[in-house]
Amino acid sequence: MKKILIIVLTLAAFCETHAQVVFGRNPNNAGNGVSINYSSPKEYEIADIEVRGVQFLDNNALISLSGLRVGDKIKVPGDEITTAIKKLWNQGIIGNVSIYASKVEDDKVWLVIELTERPRLTKYIIEGVNKTKQGEIEDKIGLIKGKVLTDVVIKNTELAVKRYMESKGFLNADVRVFQQNDTILRNSAYLKIVIDQGQKVKIRNIRFEGNEQFTSAKLRSKFKSTGMVPKFSLPTEIIENTAKLMWPPNLITFIKGSEKVSKEEFREYMATHVNLNFFKSSKFVKEDYEADKDLLIGFYNSKGYRDAEIVADTTYDISNKYMSINVSVDEGDKYYFRDISWSGNFIYTDEQLQRILGIKKGDVYDLDLVNKKLNFNPTGADISSLYMDDGYLFFSITPVEIGVAQDSIDLEMRIYEGAQATIDKVIISGNDKTNDHVILRELRTQPGDKFSRAELIRTQRELSQLGYFDPEQVNPVPVPDPVNETVDIEWQLVERSNDQIELSGGWGGAFGFVGTFGLTFNNFSVRNITKPEHWRGLPVGDGQSLSLRFQANGRAFQSYSFSFVEPWLGGRKPNSFGLSFSKSIQRSIDRRIDRTVGWLKVTGISASLGRRVKWPDDFFTVSTGISYQRYDLFQFQSRALGFQTGDANSFTFNTTFARNSINQPMYPRNGSSVSLSASFTPPYSLWRNLDYENAAPEDRYKWLEYHKWNFDSKYFLTLTGKLVLSARAHFGYLGTYTSKTGVGPFERFQLGGDGLTGQNFLLGTDVVGLRGYPNNSITPFDQENNIEGGTLFNKYVMEIRYPISLAQSATIYALTFVEGGNNWDRFAEFNPYNIKKSAGIGLRIFMPAFGLMGIDWAYGFDRVPGTLENAGPQFHFSIGQQIR
């Protein structure tokens, strides 16, 4: 047999030492070799390619990756084998690789690709940190079992862990990653990630150089993430007394003659000279620090220093726990606006655009302000909104500096107006349960309409308000077509269930233990009740609301209620129709003989019609309705009603004017809600032949006569980021047409506590919460007529809210609040400044299946009526959206 030729080519340009090219037989076997004439390469045809040494990888895939094919002709020596090994090595999954000839006949060669696979990951272990950090690190490193362990994977894991530790302030953390062989599985390994986190490094001080126009304290305050935040401010006398004992003498000189050191002066001095921990030190995170430097330059730019820059910055360790930062700035000159000209505008005049821009000659030069006035101001008072609300989707505007003279700059606003865009297609996606027509009827962006950014935002609000979709994921996606001057709009929705089940038990005061079962279907479909093929568990999808509720405590108390709302009666216009029915009974039972000795039965029915109106604007709604309530008493013992046996009838006409521009229901960030409602009974006293002053209560209240007014307002404002201010005010009044009838015992107000029930359906009483005081504790009592409840109340609330989670599964936010209110029996006693005040903190959790739940801790600062002590601390629990 012909001797086998062995040629070993060393790859000088190939940096990895585990790969080699061998032409001939396996270099691991002994044999004789024949010298090759390198000046005369010989061409061979590949007769076969075999892959050896793999366990998990596919042989055919490896051959394909090498670039070698049976039938190809290669030269020896040549580049084909070298290139094949490079290709295999670059995949990062090979440990060692060699290519050799197992057989050579004439001009044909049989090749063998022999390689070893890198080990695969079976598990990884993280040591040196707690379980919380371990879970967060697992999310960062993204290691998956079965992953090929390359040097790059190990290095990237180490870097990812180190970056994570740095983001937590552990700049000196030592991270080591060890690869250990797994003896259970062949060609496998696990990683041990060992972390020595060390001390968290915090910023002791930030010093500035080159700043002449602004104090270091002012500049330091612009470092939002890495700045020094004061924990509290101190009066001068405390500083002086402490300084005499432990601070440098020049501090006494510094504050001498001042009644109180300003926060900025005190902060500046403390940060520069005093190492007492009166400040909350921030952890150092490089990404946050870089962002803060941009904020600093942005601050300078907003003050007219357009050329300001950070020329140098240095970080250095003070100890293993603290570091300091030196920042050197070049402020440059201060600039002002001079002439502002407009070009390319035909639709609007220069004067109209200049009025919206609102920048005058001589104003401090602030290009960031210019951009806010040009492009998408949240208030809508910007140039882009002016054009895009009128269909000019392709509009663009670019401010260009055309002249700089000394300290003044000329700007030219170069405008491209483009053509008006018409909406071509409207696409809806993500509505798995809600029928298309329910969404389409809310759209203000219909095919054929002129494009309007304002209407797009308004539609986004309307869809969020429905409650059928996650408000955080109602996403309009315009797809413009400049050629045809049209735009398609896709509404991307994420449906969420907002049906609710209520199954609870609790202590109901005089009722004792009360069990509750309730079902609320907020996307119901009456028309599909007889069409099971359209059910999705239930007949849903038409946006109707159906609610059923039952409460009971044996024979002592039962209550049944039913309500139904159709938001689009007839399906053509947003005219709502509502119908409700309720029946309740409370029995007085003599336990000695187990017999009912008295009762109060209440039956009520109501119907309402509502519609949206376009004046004063289209956020307004008007609803009207009628209701009938019958109260039947028999030997019912109560200090609140004034009589024990008889019946009372309440027939009312109700109307409500409301305006609601709140952007979403669960966690509103902006907008307001104002509502004025009034209820009127017929003036029975005009035709009833009854001496009201001397009549018995059961005769006087047989037909209830009153007028009732409620005013409710809410306002939401985003302060910064996701931090939201919520302000509310509420007012209620119950009066009569004539003083001779007097105000009856029904429909009054109770104040105090959690306001959980919203209404005492047995008495028609409005239950108004006031945190920090016991439930219903601020409720006046009319001893003359033996009637409980106020005829006039007011309430004010101020809350600061911050979201913990805005996920689809649960909306959670924390809040802190101050509020006050009071309740009076007669209008003559009303004093809007005499309020019961409280403050506290709370938490709200909204889950689609259970609704809104909350807990509050509040401190009442004033005396509870009928006691000699202040209300003090109180815990309150709530279920459902509070009315007031």
Side-chain angles (χ1 to χ4, degrees), residues 119-123 149 179-182 187-191:
R120 293 178 177 267
L121 179 68
T122 57
K123 63 180 180 179
L149 284 177
Q179 178 178 318
Q180 307 284 342
N181 291 330
D182 193 328
N187 197 37
S188 61
Y190 68 90
L191 295 182

Side-chain angles (χ1 to χ4, degrees), residues 493-541:
L493 308 172
V494 177
E495 198 138 28
R496 72 174 184 186
S497 174
N498 63 343
D499 297 333
Q500 296 174 13
I501 181 171
E502 182 181 0
L503 185 61
S504 62
W507 188 258
F511 306 139
F513 183 84
V514 177
T516 303
F517 175 75
L519 292 172
T520 301
F521 307 108
N522 288 311
N523 195 1
F524 198 69
S525 175
V526 172
R527 65 173 181 158
N528 286 335
I529 291 178
T530 59
K531 303 174 182 177
E533 65 273 14
H534 295 295
W535 288 26
R536 296 177 181 89
L538 288 169
V540 297

Side-chain angles (χ1 to χ4, degrees), residues 342-459:
W342 304 82
S343 64
N345 54 305
F346 301 98
I347 307 300
Y348 300 101
T349 65
D350 293 0
E351 291 74 17
Q352 289 174 307
L353 300 177
Q354 186 65 43
R355 189 160 49 249
I356 295 175
L357 185 65
I359 297 175
K360 303 183 296 296
K361 184 177 182 178
D363 287 352
V364 172
Y365 185 81
D366 183 358
L367 198 55
D368 184 55
L369 175 62
V370 170
N371 288 324
K372 287 180 180 179
K373 290 289 187 176
L374 297 181
N375 301 297
F376 304 134
N377 191 314
T379 63
D382 58 86
I383 306 295
S384 291
S385 294
L386 178 68
Y387 274 92
M388 290 198 177
D389 289 348
D390 196 26
Y392 292 92
L393 174 63
F394 311 111
F395 163 86
S396 65
I397 182 169
T398 305
V400 179
E401 296 180 357
I402 60 173
V404 179
Q406 297 180 347
D407 63 348
S408 299
I409 296 177
D410 296 333
L411 275 185
E412 181 183 359
M413 305 298 182
R414 297 178 181 174
I415 295 175
Y416 171 72
E417 293 178 333
Q420 286 181 312
T422 303
I423 298 173
D424 184 22
K425 299 176 184 176
V426 175
I427 305 163
I428 301 171
S429 62
N431 55 318
D432 300 323
K433 293 194 305 181
T434 305
N435 295 324
D436 285 351
H437 74 271
V438 174
I439 301 168
L440 290 172
R441 68 194 186 190
E442 299 291 343
L443 298 185
R444 295 168 180 256
T445 56
Q446 299 284 0
D449 290 349
K450 183 171 60 178
F451 177 82
S452 171
R453 175 176 170 267
E455 296 295 355
L456 202 69
I457 295 172
R458 179 66 184 275
T459 300

Side-chain angles (χ1 to χ4, degrees), residues 628-863:
Y628 173 74
Q629 203 91 348
R630 177 179 174 83
Y631 305 92
D632 184 7
L633 291 82
F634 175 74
Q635 296 183 1
F636 185 73
Q637 304 292 326
S638 172
R639 67 188 292 265
L641 296 177
F643 68 105
Q644 297 180 357
T645 300
D647 59 81
N649 300 272
S650 174
F651 183 84
T652 59
F653 172 79
N654 316 293
T655 184
T656 300
F657 298 90
R659 184 184 189 275
N660 186 350
S661 63
I662 294 173
N663 67 327
Q664 59 170 267
M666 285 302 101
Y667 189 74
R669 291 179 175 85
N670 55 69
S672 63
S673 172
V674 181
S675 171
L676 175 63
S677 63
S679 300
F680 306 92
T681 66
Y684 299 108
S685 59
L686 292 180
W687 58 79
R688 286 189 73 193
N689 188 18
L690 182 66
D691 182 3
Y692 279 91
E693 293 182 358
N694 299 312
E698 54 269 28
D699 294 328
R700 185 189 309 169
Y701 304 135
K702 187 175 184 63
W703 291 97
L704 299 177
E705 181 177 324
Y706 63 86
H707 55 89
K708 186 175 182 179
W709 304 78
N710 278 301
F711 175 79
D712 302 287
S713 65
K714 302 177 183 178
Y715 176 73
F716 298 91
L717 174 68
T718 299
L719 300 177
T720 178
K722 298 179 181 179
L723 192 68
V724 173
L725 168 69
S726 169
R728 307 198 302 273
H730 308 278
F731 174 84
Y733 174 66
L734 179 67
T736 60
Y737 305 116
T738 174
S739 59
K740 68 178 184 180
T741 61
V743 180
F746 303 99
E747 302 293 335
R748 290 182 172 237
F749 304 104
Q750 296 178 346
L751 188 67
D754 49 42
L756 185 59
T757 59
Q759 186 184 56
N760 182 335
F761 42 82
L762 285 172
L763 304 179
T765 304
D766 285 358
V767 178
V768 182
L770 185 64
R771 292 167 288 188
Y773 298 86
N775 284 355
N776 307 327
S777 61
I778 307 175
T779 303
F781 182 70
D782 182 353
Q783 295 183 350
E784 180 181 347
N785 297 302
N786 193 33
I787 295 175
E788 186 178 53
T791 63
L792 183 67
F793 88 94
N794 65 354
K795 177 185 174 182
Y796 315 102
V797 183
M798 188 79 74
E799 287 183 353
I800 301 293
R801 301 176 173 183
Y802 189 81
I804 299 172
S805 169
L806 295 176
Q808 181 182 359
S809 57
T811 299
I812 306 173
Y813 62 89
L815 58 91
T816 180
F817 64 88
V818 293
E819 67 183 41
N822 210 340
N823 196 5
W824 295 270
D825 182 42
R826 295 178 176 86
F827 186 80
E829 301 170 354
F830 174 65
N831 181 357
Y833 303 105
N834 178 20
I835 60 175
K836 307 293 183 181
K837 301 174 291 295
S838 65
I841 57 175
L843 185 71
R844 295 292 182 272
I845 302 174
F846 174 82
M847 292 185 290
F850 301 101
L852 186 66
M853 298 175 288
I855 181 172
D856 296 289
W857 178 91
Y859 190 91
F861 297 104
D862 296 295
R863 185 172 58 86

Side-chain angles (χ1 to χ4, degrees), residues 205-212 214-223 226-228 268 271-272 289 292-293 296-297 300 310 312-313 325-331:
N205 189 23
I206 304 176
R207 294 185 173 89
F208 293 89
E209 298 175 358
N211 53 309
E212 298 178 357
F214 303 99
T215 66
S216 295
K218 184 72 172 179
L219 300 183
R220 197 177 293 114
S221 68
K222 302 305 170 186
F223 278 57
T226 53
M228 305 287 290
E268 172 70 14
T272 307
Y289 172 57
D292 280 348
K293 289 196 295 184
L296 179 65
I297 296 303
Y300 266 106
I310 297 174
D313 64 295
I325 301 174
N326 285 349
V327 179
S328 178
V329 298
D330 180 2
E331 296 178 325

Side-chain angles (χ1 to χ4, degrees), residues 573-588:
K573 294 183 178 181
N575 298 328
S576 65
F577 169 73
L579 182 67
S580 67
F581 173 81
S582 65
K583 185 176 181 62
S584 305
I585 181 170
Q586 182 181 352
R587 296 182 176 91
S588 299

